[in-house]
Structures are given as structure tokens and as C-alpha cells.
Amino acid sequence: MKKAYPSTARWTFLTLYMSFLVFLGAVNLGVALEMAAKKAEKPLRLLQKKRGRPKKGTPRIPKNAKVIQPQKGGQWEYFTRSEFEVLFGGAAGPGKSWALVIDALGLQFRSTPVQKAAVEIPDYRAVIFRRKTTQLSKLIDEAKKYYCSSPFHATYTAHRRGDPGPSFTFPSGARIFFCHMELEEDKESHQGIEYQFVGFDELTQFTLTQYLYLFSRARSTIPGLFPRIRATTNPTGAGLLWVKKRFIRNGDIVLEPKKTYYFAPDRSVSDPYVNPMGIMVNRDHPDARSRTFVPGFLHENRILMENDPTYVQNIRAMGAKYERALLHGDWDAFSGDFFDDFSNQLCVRPFIIPEDWSLIGSLDPGWSSPCSFGLSARDFEGNIYRLFTYYVRDASPDQHARAIREMIENFPYTRGRMPDYIVAGHDAFERNSPSAIHSNEYTFERVFRNILGLSLRKARTERVLGWWAWKQLMRQRKWKYFDGFNDPLIEEIVAAQHDEKVPEDIEGRGNDPNVYDHALDETRYSVLALFEPEKHVPRQPREDDDYALENWREEVFELERPVGADGV
């Protein structure tokens, strides 16, 4: 005869048992809700090792296979995004390059109706870009650790005739390319190729035109495998300005991180640099493309922090600006690496300019490229104030001249006073220059003389000397600008980078059409026109000290000798 439980013991057992069942139900409910939420958001999941028999048609995962899983934070969020265009990063160290390499595999499509990883589809093609060839080796080494091992077993090919770059070929026939775009025309190497995945590592090192050209290559004829544009970056580099405008902030439009937006190209402009963000539209717009920015931070990368705990100190040793940009993801921290002394401290509230201060204009003429004009004043202590910037493209010289005159006459802080004179780049005086010629063969100089009643003066165009003088004024806090009237100039200052071959000049040295330096150039003209360096007065030599006298004469000669032009 079975022994019966006492009533109290039975009740206690039943209570515990029911509590356990309730607990399991809550857990299962929580899992179900999580799965439902993820399914509603159409996430893209990574391949993870699971117990049990795989679904029919899914390759079995070996027991010794690597478990590929992103870390919590920005990486995890990045892999859940299904937008057409996603930028990940904004700071150093969250594992951006790793994420890009793994994302190209398309493992997330296993949990979609495709039910396969992208690299298991024979026609799948992906490409990952770095700007220079020498920068590809690290990405390729990272890819080899995953692509060539179990369960992918890809074969690496360093070079194959007709291919755009090194590649990994998977057993299915799918291929992932690793390519550079050091030159603008390198983008043409991908003409006619269809990519379902296009990745850019360190996007701010590319031009906007390179980036947008690959949009035409991002297409898919594979059912369920939608094309994706993915990019990573730090808030530094030559392309900082256009990347920030496209993903972070463009004028008064501020985009919220991790929120999905829809944009269409701005067809009112011929140059995409005018409006890199495009026009915000509804998702039903025929040209709408989804876009988002996913921030990532160093503290989220536990693997890196454990392996290299001194990484934070290394970044801090680079200076305060790099710390703000690379550790905190501050898009406004890094003002390029050319104007090191530029800061918000140079910004002043507008005030009435006294009538006895010097007032000059500076002009960099433009036809299809922007025409930039600046008005600057100098006080009796040698301080130079940039008052306003006119920055317009796609207009004729007479349209520019009339608009500039109207701007000068209506500027309240000079009471409509005309400048004492205007210095201009030498192409304003050339009939045969595409940037200076008008349909009736009038030069900028003649048009401005007829409309403004002022003759343009040929500016001193020495590049290295001009940048040096301007940076000296910044360092001494003697060059300042009016708040709210000089945004185009400030944007170019922030984006300016050193040229690799001539570090004393800005990138491109005035010859790169993808480097916008129009406002910089005409400001340099105004600085050289107004700059008065403090001359060192040498000690008076004794009459019997011939050696000292000769040295003194050489110093004065060097100081007063005119400097020859070193470029336009």
C-alpha cells in the first residue's frame, strides 16, 4: 500500500510544482514575445550554434564550428538593421571592421524566407572597400580567419584576371571581393557588376561621388535577398563633412540615431555635395531609400578591452580633440587636421563695424563650381573679422555680382558700406578660364567693375604662405568670424586635411575637384591682403662689429624681401 502524503506536505509539493510551471510559462512567454517583436522588426540574425537536428535543407553545423555572435551594444544593433543604407560607428573600437567582414557573409538571411546564408547562394556577390590598397591587408587577414575555416571553407584568390580585386570564393560559388578606390576613376572598375552587399570601411576616407556610384551596382535578382549598403567610420577624415551631413546633421535637420528615415535624391541640384542628405520623404515615395546611423563605442567591445586595456590611454595621448571624437563619438570635435587652432572661441557675436576700420572683399570665382565671396574687416590692433560668406554655384558672373552687391548693401553691421577694394583669384581676370568666362566673353573683373563700381585686384595667391599667415592669426586669436553668417567657410575649415605630399598645404593643393576649398582660398586672399606680421627689431650693432652688422642686414633683407608665388 502506497504511503499517502500528508495534506500539508501534498499542498506544499503542489504549490512548488505549480510555481515551477508558472515560471516555465513566463519564460516561454517572454521568449515568444521577444521572437514576435524581432519578427515584426524583420531583424537579420547571425548564425549561432544550436542543439538538435537542423531544418531540412540547412547544412549541419559541425561541433567544432566557431560561434559567430556580435557583442551587446552597437554591434548587436547593427546586425538587426534591415535598412538599405546603414552607417555603423562614430567612435573608435566597437569592432566596426569585424562587423563589416561578418555582415558580408549574409548569415542573417537564414532566419528570413530565403532560409539560407547569402554565401550559400551561388549568384551572391559582395564587395568591401578601403580607400587605399595598403589598407586592405588587415581586412583580408580578418576575413581569412572566418571565411577559410569551418563551416564556410572559402578559397582565397589574390588576383584573377578580369576581377575587380582579391576575392573569396565559397563552395556554393558565391564570392566576396575586397577592393580599393584610391583614385576617383577606380569606381568605374565595377561598372556592370551586380552586388547584393556593398561595404565601405572608414567611409570618411571616400568621396561622396564614389559612394553614390556604387548605389548603381547594388541590386539583386535573387528572390528575398535584398541589396544592402553598409559602412563604418570614425568622425575624422577628409570626407567628414559630407558623411556628417548625410547621416548625422544637415543644417537644421538632425537625425536621431537608430531611427529609420527615408530619403530621395535632391533633383534640384546637379552636384550631390550641395545636399548630401537628400530630401526626406515618406516610405511610399517612389525614390525612397531607408537609412539609419548606429553608434558604437569602445566600452561595448569587451574583447578588445580585455586584450588591450591600455587602448583608451593610447587614444587620450593623441590629444583632447581625438579623445572627444574617437572615445565619445563627437562629430563636432575634430576640425580636420590642418587648422589645428580653429575652435569655437574664434566665433564672436556680430557688432557694428566702425567706419574707420579697413573693409575688404575677397573673391574666388566659380561657374559650375561654387563662387565664394567674403567680407572682412581689420581693426587698429591687427584683428581680422570675417563678417559674412556668400557661397553660390550654377550662376553667371553678373548674377553673382548682383547678389553680392545686394548682400553688401543689406548687411546691417556695416550699414551697407562698400568694401575699400576686392581681391580675387587670377582666373577672375582670364577670358579663357572656364570658371571666369561669361557667354558674352566678359570676365568676372569686368562684370564686377560694371555692377559694383569696383575694380578687382589680383590677390596674392601663395598657398603655403597664406595658410601659414592664417593659422598664425588663429593661434593668436586675431582671426575671428561673425556667428551665423559664415557656415560654408566653417564647413570647409572643419573638413580641411593636410596634403600627404605637401603637408604645409591642404589636401589636393587646389587641384582636386572633390576637395571643396573655394571659401578657404578667398579667405586666404583676404588674410594676405590684411595680414601684418609683427616684425622682430634686431639689436642695433656696434659700428666696429662688422659681423653683427652683416647679419643684421641679412635679417632685414629676408624680412622685407617679397615672397614669390608658390602656386595658385
Side-chain angles (χ1 to χ4, degrees):
M1 182 176 182
K2 293 184 179 180
K3 183 177 180 180
Y5 285 103
S7 58
T8 303
R10 184 185 296 113
W11 177 254
T12 302
F13 173 78
L14 290 175
T15 301
L16 291 174
Y17 181 69
M18 292 300 297
S19 298
F20 179 68
L21 291 179
V22 170
F23 171 74
L24 288 179
V27 170
N28 291 331
L29 178 61
V31 172
L33 289 175
E34 182 181 1
M35 294 178 63
K38 289 184 177 181
K39 185 176 181 181
E41 296 174 358
K42 296 183 179 180
L44 300 177
R45 293 188 177 185
L46 286 177
L47 174 67
Q48 298 183 27
K49 189 188 296 183
K50 296 181 180 179
R51 295 179 180 178
R53 181 175 298 177
K55 293 182 179 179
K56 185 177 181 180
T58 302
R60 183 180 298 274
I61 303 173
K63 294 182 178 180
N64 60 347
K66 294 180 180 179
V67 178
I68 303 175
Q69 181 171 322
Q71 300 182 80
K72 296 290 185 179
Q75 270 191 2
W76 191 277
E77 179 69 25
Y78 167 75
F79 281 104
T80 68
R81 308 307 302 201
S82 59
E83 289 86 353
F84 172 71
E85 193 178 353
V86 179
L87 176 67
F88 173 46
K96 302 184 296 291
S97 299
W98 178 90
L100 199 63
V101 167
I102 299 302
D103 200 14
L105 293 168
L107 306 178
Q108 309 95 318
F109 284 96
R110 286 183 180 276
S111 61
T112 69
V114 178
Q115 295 186 342
K116 289 183 179 181
V119 291
E120 295 170 350
I121 301 174
D123 294 333
Y124 176 70
R125 297 294 183 270
V127 61
I128 297 178
F129 291 102
R130 280 302 303 257
R131 186 64 194 266
K132 296 184 179 181
T133 308
T134 54
Q135 299 168 337
L136 278 175
S137 58
K138 181 180 178 181
L139 274 180
I140 292 175
D141 290 342
E142 184 75 14
K144 286 180 179 179
K145 291 189 295 185
Y146 295 94
Y147 293 3
C148 297
S149 60
S150 178
F152 305 113
H153 303 292
T155 302
Y156 174 69
T157 303
H159 176 72
R160 179 184 295 175
R161 188 174 181 179
D163 283 353
S167 66
F168 291 86
T169 303
F170 294 81
S172 66
R175 302 183 71 189
I176 299 178
F177 296 94
F178 286 75
C179 304
H180 73 87
M181 277 199 292
E182 186 166 357
L183 303 177
E184 180 68 25
E185 55 267 26
D186 288 337
K187 63 189 180 186
E188 304 290 344
S189 301
H190 303 270
Q191 186 175 4
I193 304 178
E194 176 182 298
Y195 295 118
Q196 289 76 48
F197 178 93
V198 178
F200 292 85
D201 197 26
E202 296 299 342
L203 184 59
T204 54
Q205 296 178 1
F206 295 86
T207 66
L208 174 59
T209 48
Q210 288 176 324
Y211 180 68
L212 294 179
Y213 179 83
L214 267 296
F215 278 39
S216 65
R217 307 298 96 211
R219 57 184 188 267
S220 179
T221 56
I222 304 172
L225 197 68
F226 53 86
R228 297 178 291 151
I229 301 288
R230 297 294 182 265
T232 69
T233 196
N234 290 322
T236 62
L240 172 64
L241 181 59
W242 75 259
V243 173
K244 182 167 67 173
K245 283 187 173 183
R246 188 170 183 85
F247 290 94
I248 308 300
R249 181 177 64 253
N250 188 12
D252 296 332
I253 303 177
V254 180
L255 304 184
E256 181 181 341
K258 297 186 286 187
K259 182 177 179 180
T260 303
Y261 294 91
Y262 294 88
F263 291 92
D266 187 352
R267 302 190 182 280
S268 66
V269 298
S270 58
D271 187 347
Y273 280 97
V274 177
N275 184 10
M277 180 177 283
I279 305 298
M280 191 178 296
V281 297
N282 294 325
R283 64 181 302 173
D284 298 329
H285 190 280
D287 294 329
R289 286 289 196 178
S290 54
R291 185 187 309 166
T292 192
F293 165 62
V294 177
F297 300 95
L298 175 60
H299 64 82
E300 298 170 347
N301 193 341
R302 293 180 291 103
I303 297 176
L304 176 60
M305 296 298 293
E306 291 173 1
N307 293 335
D308 188 3
T310 64
Y311 187 65
V312 174
Q313 286 74 17
N314 295 339
I315 293 179
R316 287 174 177 167
M318 299 172 68
K321 289 184 178 180
Y322 280 94
E323 179 180 350
R324 287 169 54 197
L326 300 182
L327 289 184
H328 306 296
D330 187 347
W331 287 85
D332 298 318
F334 197 81
S335 58
D337 66 352
F338 191 76
F339 294 97
D340 296 330
D341 294 292
F342 178 78
S343 68
N344 292 333
Q345 296 179 5
L346 301 175
C347 181
V348 297
R349 295 181 62 182
F351 58 89
I352 301 297
I353 300 298
E355 293 186 2
D356 54 353
W357 284 15
S358 298
L359 186 68
I360 74 163
S362 51
L363 174 70
D364 182 67
W367 182 256
S368 58
S369 60
C371 173
S372 183
F373 175 87
L375 191 65
S376 302
R378 187 187 67 197
D379 64 16
F380 296 108
E381 297 179 355
N383 295 301
I384 297 177
Y385 296 87
R386 174 64 171 232
L387 307 184
F388 72 72
T389 300
Y390 166 90
Y391 199 87
V392 176
R393 73 187 70 219
D394 297 327
S396 62
D398 60 326
Q399 290 174 324
H400 286 309
R402 296 181 190 282
I404 290 171
R405 176 168 186 161
E406 182 180 357
M407 198 168 183
I408 294 174
E409 291 176 342
N410 295 327
F411 192 63
Y413 300 103
T414 54
R415 298 188 175 95
R417 174 185 162 194
M418 298 299 291
D420 302 330
Y421 57 90
I422 299 175
V423 292
H426 294 183
D427 48 352
F429 302 84
E430 299 173 359
R431 292 184 181 275
N432 296 326
S433 172
S435 64
I437 194 170
H438 188 237
S439 58
N440 59 7
E441 297 298 321
Y442 283 178
T443 64
F444 264 87
E445 189 278 330
R446 183 170 178 178
V447 171
F448 271 68
R449 174 158 39 91
N450 293 340
I451 294 179
L452 294 182
L454 291 173
S455 296
L456 301 182
R457 297 184 183 180
K458 286 189 176 182
R460 293 187 63 179
T461 57
E462 300 94 330
R463 298 185 63 84
V464 173
L465 177 64
W467 303 133
W468 174 84
W470 191 2
K471 292 201 284 188
Q472 288 293 317
L473 291 172
M474 285 186 180
R475 185 170 295 115
Q476 299 168 13
R477 300 290 186 265
K478 301 191 77 171
W479 183 88
K480 305 170 185 178
Y481 65 94
F482 273 17
D483 185 22
F485 292 94
N486 293 283
D487 288 348
L489 171 61
I490 304 308
E491 289 177 352
E492 290 190 1
I493 291 175
V494 169
Q497 302 286 318
H498 286 281
D499 187 78
E500 290 186 356
K501 296 182 179 179
V502 184
E504 297 82 9
D505 203 347
I506 64 173
E507 185 178 22
R509 291 170 283 166
N511 300 316
D512 189 343
N514 296 304
V515 177
Y516 277 66
D517 55 5
H518 310 285
L520 295 178
D521 281 341
E522 54 91 352
T523 306
R524 171 166 53 87
Y525 303 156
S526 69
V527 167
L528 285 177
L530 295 171
F531 182 65
E532 291 184 351
E534 297 180 2
K535 295 184 178 181
H536 170 67
V537 180
R539 175 183 61 84
Q540 287 293 335
R542 299 192 305 269
E543 293 182 0
D544 58 345
D545 192 348
D546 295 336
Y547 178 76
L549 179 61
E550 185 63 24
N551 276 351
W552 176 74
R553 286 174 178 165
E554 290 179 0
E555 288 178 9
V556 174
F557 177 74
E558 285 291 330
L559 197 62
E560 297 180 348
R561 182 174 59 182
V563 180
D566 58 350
V568 177

